[in-house]
Amino acid sequence: GEVEVLHWWTAGGEAKAAAALKATLQAKGHTWKDFAVAGGGGDSAMTVLKSRVVSGNAPAAAQIKGPSLQEWAREGVLANMDDVAKAEKWDESLPKVVSDIMKYKGNYIAAPVNVHRVNWLWANPEAFKKAGAKVPTNWDEFFVAAEALKKAGITPVAHGGQNWQDFTTFEAVALGVGGVEFYKKALVQLDPATLNSPTMENVLSTFKKVKSYTDKNAPGRDWNLATAMVIKGEAGMQIMGDWAKGEFIAAGKAPGKDFVCAPAPGTAKSFTFNVDSFALFKLKNDANVKAQKDLATAIMSPEFQELFNLNKGSIPVRLGMKMDKFDDCAKTSSADFVATAKTGALVPSIAHGMAVPSAAEGAIKDAVSQFWNTDKMTPKDAMAKIVAAAKTK
Amino acid sequence: MSAPSTLSPRLSLGRILLFVSLGLFALFFLTPLYVMLATSFKTMDEIREGTLLSLPASPSFAAWATAWSSACTGTDCGGLKPFFMNSVMMVIPAVLTSTLIGALNGYVLSKWKFKGSEFMFALLLFGVFMPMQVVLLPMSQVLGWLGIASSVWGLILVHVIAGIPSTTLFFRNYYVGLPDELIKAAMLDGANFWQIFWRIVLPLSTPILVVTLIWQFTNIWNDFLYGVVFSGADSKPITVGLNNLANTSSSVKEYNVDMAAAMIAALPTLFVYIVAGKYFVRGLTAGAVKG
Amino acid sequence: MSAPSALRTPWLPKLVVAPSFVVSFLFIYGLMAWNGYLSVSASRLLPNYEFVGLEQYEILFENERWWVALRNLAVFGGLFIGGGMAVGLLLAILLDQKIRAEGVLRTIYLYPMALSFIVTGTAWKWMLNPGLGLEHLMHQWGFTEFEFGWLVDPDMAIYCVAIAGIWQSAGFVMALFLAGLRGIDDSIIKAAQVDGASLPKIYWRILIPTLRPVFFSTLMVVSHLAIKSFDLVMALTAGGPGYATDLPATFMYTMAFSRGQIGLGAASATVMLATVAAIVVPYLYSELRVKK
Amino acid sequence: MSALTIQDVRKSYGAVDILKGINIHIEAGEFLILVGPSGCGKSTLLSMIAGLDVPTSGAIRLGERDITHLPSKDRDIAMVFQSYALYPNMNVAQNIAFALEMRKVPKAQREAAVQRVSDMLQIGHLLDRKPGQLSGGQRQRVAMGRALARDPKLFLFDEPLSNLDAKLRVEMRAEIKRLHQRTQTTTVYVTHDQVEAMTLGDRIAVMKDGQVQQFGTPDDIYSRPATRFVAEFIGSPAMNLVTAQRQAQALSAHGLPLPLHGAQQAALGSAAEVLYGIRPEHLQLSAAGAAGSLPGTLSMLEPTGPETYALVDTPLGTLTARVPGTVAHKVGEAVSLAWAAEAAHLFDAKTEQRLA
Amino acid sequence: MSALTIQDVRKSYGAVDILKGINIHIEAGEFLILVGPSGCGKSTLLSMIAGLDVPTSGAIRLGERDITHLPSKDRDIAMVFQSYALYPNMNVAQNIAFALEMRKVPKAQREAAVQRVSDMLQIGHLLDRKPGQLSGGQRQRVAMGRALARDPKLFLFDEPLSNLDAKLRVEMRAEIKRLHQRTQTTTVYVTHDQVEAMTLGDRIAVMKDGQVQQFGTPDDIYSRPATRFVAEFIGSPAMNLVTAQRQAQALSAHGLPLPLHGAQQAALGSAAEVLYGIRPEHLQLSAAGAAGSLPGTLSMLEPTGPETYALVDTPLGTLTARVPGTVAHKVGEAVSLAWAAEAAHLFDAKTEQRLA
Ligand SMILES: Nc1ncnc2c1ncn2[C@@H]1O[C@H](COP(=O)(O)OP(=O)(O)OP(=O)(O)O)[C@@H](O)[C@H]1O
Ligand SMILES: Nc1ncnc2c1ncn2[C@@H]1O[C@H](COP(=O)(O)OP(=O)(O)OP(=O)(O)O)[C@@H](O)[C@H]1O
Ligand SMILES: [Mg+2]
Ligand SMILES: [Mg+2]
């Protein structure tokens, strides 16, 4: 059969990872049709996907994640993968928070690929040493360190321009300042009371305070250029998901020695996840359905999970994997993933489309980003906007 | 030709001012191109360390080679080459068809007016203003019905349809300027509708053909949105390839390769403008400009 | 004026244009109608046809981002159209002065039209970025006071978008005006010289007013570029900082395709089209009336 | 060769009537001239004969056949357009052969025709040039050649010489005349130029505002203009016209009696006021005081070379006399004008129709 | 009012010499006509006088002043362009007033000037129209009005009447003449039309290939053409020219002796072959057999109204005679032609210069 896979892993390590999947499928005698569309964190890919579905010509699998899976399933275009899941024991090998996302009305409709931890703080030890600061573990320490870095003539926080970067920082602050319960209520359930609470106000003012430690050229900067500032020691730290690691490695830096990966301040005991997954579409041709199921199986296979995540810098979504080949950051990440899955401190990342439907996410992102970028806006104003945005359906 | 001829050719103050401002504008217009070119010849280290406008210390074509034949765009690591070929295969029929249709429409709308033809022309013109995004979903559906969704043919069809209003506009405005007597003379000479078109009108259309071909070529070659939505897995045009190469959200960026890829994608249109730019202005002068 | 009308097969010309016209009309007006219908439907991720009345329009006009997009369109449109026309006209006039290097300069001014912002977006982003581009350069040259941070300033970023837009379209406008200037009868200029007019007066009083028809067609071309500007914003700012540089076209795209609010996107497209129609229809009407 | 009949042809564009009932008939082989002021409908009428436009009503017959609604390519008519309308993309030979090619004439025959025509018009050395490389006069001859390559039933010429300078015009006029004398093809020819009209035409139709004012031989038109309009339009300098009062069978203007002979007196009929016209060449200029002549002062002299136009201020107004050679008198001198009663043209001042 | 001196003016475009040393001088208030075939450089010369182009060498003086390099706007010259060159964006009144506005004439005065000019040219009812809404004749008058609104040192007219029909042309010619007689402004006027040249000019310069062939009064040009070219170019129908052989002091062609009077014989000088010219109006047509006349056959008659052109085949070739009124003879009839020896023009066949 033939599998056509729509994804936006088009370059670098991601592309290598996708190539691994392709090889796996080809080994099973299927043809792989690559449908890669990069750009805007999948915006273009979504556009293509929609028109493909509308034209009655859906791909076998498409990179969709989070609550969007539910939206697609609701349109009745996704296939039921329960037989594969049962055979491969997906229920057992996935944390419930994750498997819930992969299911619509109790049936599997998607296969998860990896987990990104979003709440990381990347730091340059050299810079910290120069400033005489230590890597912060909570927000108070964060600002102390930032102040020290600033005094030393180093940009304390490297930041970039896209609104998802603002949002990523925001969710880290929310988790660190408000804690797991607050995060779940406010940013997963979108509870208006919580969104309108003093805690929220506190979160927002802390968030805004971070901005004062970024440089003024941040807007318009790509995230990886921000990372480069940390690498070069021009900046002290960056709040960014684990994909930033790839930049350090590519620059020939070693984890622990040349750079530090630490949980974002105040979030050591929790984990914001960003799970990439493939939604599986209803197909007409039986041979292709067979290939599609093999794809699903392959995605969840331990071999692929290892290979893929080694390339991508994330960690396997499958529990109980051996992590010897992974680096220290990944190992930490993996351990925390397993631990938080048990404690319930494993929370979906709102900034990366895991927590709420895309319309609400977008609206909240707009509000947060506006607050970040508009100096005269007060936390109270922002709160009102976020509450309103959260009502978007 | 129109410049007053007494303008003294000697270097007066005004003349110097003129050249200075022309030069400054030229700098402004050239800077982005320079940045792209310079970057494409630098190494990644140089890009990280140096400044935007500095010349490459040791220019290298490595990035160009990578972009052309070995950069990864998705699971294929064949560089932009296949995309480039796809674009060529798609652009040629689309440009030729839309131009020919425009020429025929223009011929009828200027030389064989019938009741309501002006009104139809106005309706057609309004189409120029339709935002492209509106087209995407319904067109997909239609292409699905026609069975040419996700194929080059679907993409060509969309480009042809989208191009008709402007090509018709260009040709009509040009043909309005052709003397009606030519058509009348040909009719008296015994030529029919098609003979007049092929033997008289089309051979006289060179200037406007150049304008329209350039215009359509640029538009279709540079199009991303239709290309990404309507093409199939093996027929993606160069802009999609470029986008896939350069626009990744979570991986290491190789700016020199990105810029080399961008330059490769831009070369055909640049080439056309540089070589045929003269004819472009000339063609506009010959009549396309008129309301 | 009169076209030959005696043809044995009067249906032939109609037959020839019929296919492309039918297809184009279906395409243009069919899609407009379809879009109109979606705007009163409950469509979200994919089109559906549940009628909800004007709800989407209410949501649209309560949406702050939409208002920002509209305001941006006014600012950007004004600058892009006005600036593009002004720069293009200026270039055309400068180039019209019997410049020896005209061919080269004309190509330099015209080439941006050959490039899409998919190609030049990154270069522009760098150049306008204060830390990398112009400001940085000036600092290096010793002008430490120099500031050019518009791209990163939510209030000013839209002006950057306009600058890049002008960069792309000014050359084309120049070509149109240059063609227009070249098309003016030489003897009119001579007459003005004999009448005692100086060069600036000749341009200001005679040539530019004479270019009126060219102004109108240029205006059409440039304004449709302005309204459809999409790549430009996406490549330069992706609508940011925040959504400070959103335009209706990007708003529509974001809503319909990344946020699963097709109904809302359709409503915004309808409003866009209605605005365009309000401007273009009277123009087309007057143009075609004059021709008759 | 066929007779051409234009029968009550009318043409309106919307509410505007361009042609208001044209009736013209010429015999096979005749040469018809259409003259009239700009915008009077000459080209429109020609278009209708050529089949490039359809009359609103009325019929056009060529020989026995009603061609009113026949497509122009089936009419077998050749036309020379005022603007030449050469095909800019074809060279001279191709331009000339195009009509034959469209009529599927074999190549050898086409080449022979091109040869014949280019010899006749002396454009043999131009056959490879494009129209853009020709001078005005050469273009004109090619346009002519395009028509002459065929052997049509009817030739139409729309002001074919108007763009040429005086010398070339005279040459081409002679060429056309010779050609018509040889081929005897029925021809309709539009012109503004009086000399062309008078020297080429067998019949002249003078048009005004979409109506034929007079249709007759050149001599008719010049010597017996049917209306005041024709009298003034044909002839340069124009006919001198004086408004005269009727007293029984005599006419006077400003108290001076105007000479009339018997037939003219008889023709006065019931007209109360009469326009009395004399062509400039019929006025004899002589020294002041000649018996029975009109006294006046010479106000201006315009020597054109072969003759001189003399403007004389008289009690009847300023009259123009056309005098062969040069004039002996000086401007300001008192002179007198005389003319024969037979030379006078009389028009009813109200209807502007000819009386005698 | 200033005298105009053109002194050895040359103009080349690259390697092509357009003007090859022009020398012309006219007094203040004179009316100079430039004639010559298309492309001979008339417009180029006019451009140089107007300051729209700079001579390659030579000088142009207006009154006392050398204006060769003076910018056009400082020359105080008014010009009517062949193509009218009306400003399409301004209405008629604005077109007329523009030059005054550029010269900072106060508004009231400008309005008065527009009033005066529009009355003179009868275009008062058109003042609000744009040039696009005018007919050819009206445009022509506006172009004229634009020049006449000013009171310049020099008027330049480049074929200002060439696009008008015969009737309008005659009227406008008279208007120009009246105007010049009143204002006495120095004027240079280009035309193709012989009647205009002869009737308007004080001086005529006949040009050919960038050189002045003859410069003189209209009478000089017509009655004593300096070269064969001038003889043939001026006059319609053109002068009859016969190549004659020299035998001592006598001339003969095809064996027939040609009449010469004493002065002419003396002028023959060393010329071996002579061109013998007679203008058509100097040939007398009479019945065959008249004594001392040339026998011939009437081959064609072209009645133009006031006169008739008769083409007669004679042993000397076909000669054209211009006969007042109509001709009694019929085509094909034997006739004879006579002329006075004084009417003959003699040119050296080799140098083509006038002998007598
Ligand atoms: N398609 C048309 N619609 C309306 N009016 C027209 C059309 N074509 C011609 N006319 C009008 O018909 C009249 C006659 O035009 P026509 O061209 O026959 O004049 P003409 O006698 O040939 O004049 P000229 O000597 O200037 O060539 C003009 O007033 C013209 O404006
Ligand atoms: N800019 C130029 N470059 C080269 N040749 C030129 C230029 N301008 C004019 N000429 C040539 O100079 C010659 C004289 O042109 P000009 O316009 O003076 O002729 P003219 O006597 O006015 O003719 P016409 O009677 O047709 O108006 C022509 O052969 C023309 O081709
Ligand atoms: Mg006409
Ligand atoms: Mg000229």
Side-chain angles (χ1 to χ4, degrees), chain A residues 134-216:
Chain A
K134 73 177 190 57
V135 176
T137 57
N138 61 43
W139 285 101
D140 292 334
E141 288 177 28
F142 178 90
F143 290 117
V144 171
E147 201 56 45
L149 285 164
K150 197 176 189 176
K151 283 230 178 65
I154 297 166
T155 304
V157 181
H159 192 77
Q162 294 104 335
N163 53 7
W164 63 263
Q165 295 192 51
D166 305 340
F167 210 20
T168 301
T169 306
F170 173 75
E171 92 181 4
V173 174
L175 189 61
V177 173
V180 172
E181 281 319 306
F182 168 80
Y183 184 93
K184 280 187 181 164
K185 268 216 163 91
L187 297 182
V188 181
Q189 290 149 24
L190 299 177
D191 172 43
T194 315
L195 282 174
N196 208 8
S197 63
T199 319
M200 184 68 180
E201 196 176 342
N202 194 8
V203 166
L204 282 167
S205 37
T206 310
F207 171 60
K208 194 61 177 272
K209 197 170 167 194
V210 175
K211 190 187 179 194
S212 56
Y213 292 102
T214 64
D215 65 325
K216 72 179 172 55

Side-chain angles (χ1 to χ4, degrees), chain A residues 4 9-11 14-15 18 22 32-34 36-39 47-48 51-52 54-55 57 222-225 232 246-247 250 312, chain B residues 48 72-76 136-137 140-141 144 149-150 224 228-229 231-233 236 243-245 247-253 255:
Chain A
E4 190 176 5
W9 294 328
T10 53
E14 295 179 321
K22 174 180 176 179
W32 168 282
K33 256 171 99 183
D34 193 49
V37 179
T47 311
V48 175
S51 63
R52 291 291 298 270
V54 166
S55 72
N57 197 14
D222 285 338
W223 68 271
N224 50 330
L225 290 178
K232 282 190 267 181
E247 289 285 321
K312 179 105 159 70
Chain B
R48 284 204 191 89
C72 292
T73 56
T75 62
D76 304 313
L136 299 180
L137 291 181
S140 304
Q141 187 132 39
S150 309
F224 170 71
V228 72
V229 170
S231 62
K236 280 174 293 189
N243 174 68
N244 284 356
L245 187 87
N247 240 334
T248 47
S249 51
S250 58
S251 111
V252 185
K253 284 210 181 208
Y255 285 111

Side-chain angles (χ1 to χ4, degrees), chain E residues 265-287:
Chain E
Q265 286 171 344
L268 284 179
S270 61
E273 231 181 22
V274 171
L275 292 167
Y276 187 97
I278 319 127
R279 292 215 179 266
E281 66 269 27
H282 294 140
L283 286 177
Q284 274 105 39
L285 185 71
S286 52

Side-chain angles (χ1 to χ4, degrees), chain B residues 5-6, chain E residues 51-52:
Chain B
S5 47
T6 40
Chain E
L52 301 169

Side-chain angles (χ1 to χ4, degrees), chain B residues 2-3 6 22 29 123 128 222, chain C residues 29 96 109 111 114 189 193 228:
Chain B
S2 71
T6 40
L22 282 170
F29 279 90
L123 283 182
V128 176
N222 283 339
Chain C
Y29 296 97
D96 196 32
Y109 300 153
Y111 90 88
I189 300 161
Q193 282 180 288
K228 284 167 118 179

Side-chain angles (χ1 to χ4, degrees), chain E:
Chain E
M1 273 179 281
S2 321
L4 174 70
T5 310
I6 295 165
Q7 201 177 326
D8 203 31
V9 162
R10 288 165 192 278
K11 178 72 186 176
S12 319
Y13 288 112
V16 191
D17 293 337
I18 305 295
L19 297 180
K20 302 166 184 166
I22 303 282
N23 284 291
I24 289 176
H25 171 84
I26 53 171
E27 296 303 328
E30 276 193 327
F31 201 115
L32 168 68
I33 300 276
L34 296 179
V35 289
S38 188
C40 70
K42 306 181 294 294
S43 298
T44 308
L45 182 57
L46 228 49
S47 287
M48 240 113 40
I49 301 174
L52 301 169
D53 214 336
V54 184
T56 311
S57 71
I60 298 172
R61 242 182 292 279
L62 190 58
E64 294 303 289
R65 207 159 155 214
D66 183 340
I67 59 166
T68 321
H69 295 280
L70 198 66
S72 162
K73 66 192 184 65
D74 302 329
R75 291 191 182 196
D76 199 9
I77 284 174
M79 180 161 176
V80 176
F81 291 80
Q82 184 171 355
S83 56
Y84 311 149
L86 300 181
Y87 309 128
N89 55 308
M90 304 183 186
N91 68 24
V92 169
Q94 289 165 329
N95 259 285
I96 294 176
F98 185 72
L100 299 175
E101 197 186 332
M102 290 299 114
R103 293 195 153 71
K104 308 217 164 48
V105 174
K107 190 144 195 270
Q109 245 170 287
R110 293 205 304 260
E111 277 168 5
V114 171
Q115 196 57 46
R116 174 177 60 79
V117 167
S118 61
D119 286 351
M120 184 197 306
L121 299 169
Q122 298 159 32
I123 47 175
H125 57 297
L126 304 175
L127 290 179
D128 291 331
R129 296 217 202 147
K130 292 271 174 77
Q133 300 164 300
L134 302 177
S135 83
Q138 292 164 337
R139 283 185 212 186
Q140 205 283 324
R141 280 182 276 168
V142 175
M144 199 80 90
R146 208 166 54 174
L148 304 185
R150 290 169 48 203
D151 185 20
K153 292 214 190 68
L154 188 63
F155 274 123
L156 303 177
F157 295 93
D158 196 353
E159 309 195 22
L161 308 184
S162 63
N163 292 341
L164 303 187
D165 71 31
K167 198 161 142 59
L168 210 49
R169 208 159 169 152
V170 173
E171 286 170 25
M172 288 309 305
R173 192 177 70 216
E175 193 86 59
I176 293 173
K177 182 138 194 175
R178 260 196 298 283
L179 182 89
H180 180 250
Q181 285 176 342
R182 201 176 57 233
T183 64
Q184 291 293 329
T185 307
T186 319
T187 302
V188 182
Y189 187 106
V190 174
T191 181
H192 269 137
D193 185 281
Q194 189 206 326
V195 176
E196 276 172 34
M198 298 296 294
T199 56
L200 288 175
D202 293 317
R203 290 270 180 285
I204 296 182
V206 182
M207 291 175 63
K208 186 193 173 196
D209 291 344
Q211 280 171 320
V212 174
Q213 290 263 327
Q214 185 171 6
F215 175 54
T217 63
D219 187 45
D220 277 346
I221 303 282
Y222 192 80
S223 311
R224 284 171 298 282
T227 65
R228 173 197 185 151
F229 172 78
V230 176
E232 282 190 297
F233 191 79
I234 303 286
S236 168
M239 183 186 283
N240 297 292
L241 279 180
V242 175
T243 310
Q245 270 63 43
R246 170 85 177 273
Q247 279 126 351
Q249 294 309 92
L251 288 179
S252 69
H254 303 277
L256 294 174
L258 298 171
L260 286 180
H261 64 64
Q264 285 168 338
Q265 286 171 344
L268 284 179
S270 61
E273 231 181 22
V274 171
L275 292 167
Y276 187 97
I278 319 127
R279 292 215 179 266
E281 66 269 27
H282 294 140
L283 286 177
Q284 274 105 39
L285 185 71
S286 52
S293 67
L294 184 68
T297 319
L298 191 59
S299 68
M300 192 193 273
L301 280 178
E302 300 199 318
T304 70
E307 68 241 336
T308 304
Y309 305 152
L311 274 67
V312 182
D313 291 340
T314 72
L316 301 181
T318 303
L319 301 183
T320 305
R322 179 175 173 144
V323 185
T326 50
V327 172
H329 309 280
K330 289 230 173 59
V331 171
E333 224 174 86
V335 291
S336 66
L337 291 172
W339 64 94
E342 303 84 69
H345 303 260
L346 302 182
F347 304 91
D348 186 321
K350 217 156 68 232
T351 64
E352 305 202 335
Q353 296 297 312
R354 183 181 186 86
L355 298 170

Side-chain angles (χ1 to χ4, degrees), chain D residues 28-48:
Chain D
E30 276 193 329
F31 202 115
L32 169 68
I33 300 276
L34 296 179
V35 289
S38 188
C40 70
K42 305 180 296 291
S43 296
T44 308
L45 182 57
L46 229 48
S47 287
M48 239 112 41

Side-chain angles (χ1 to χ4, degrees), chain D residues 42-43 82 158-159:
Chain D
K42 305 180 296 291
S43 296
Q82 182 171 358
D158 196 354
E159 310 196 21

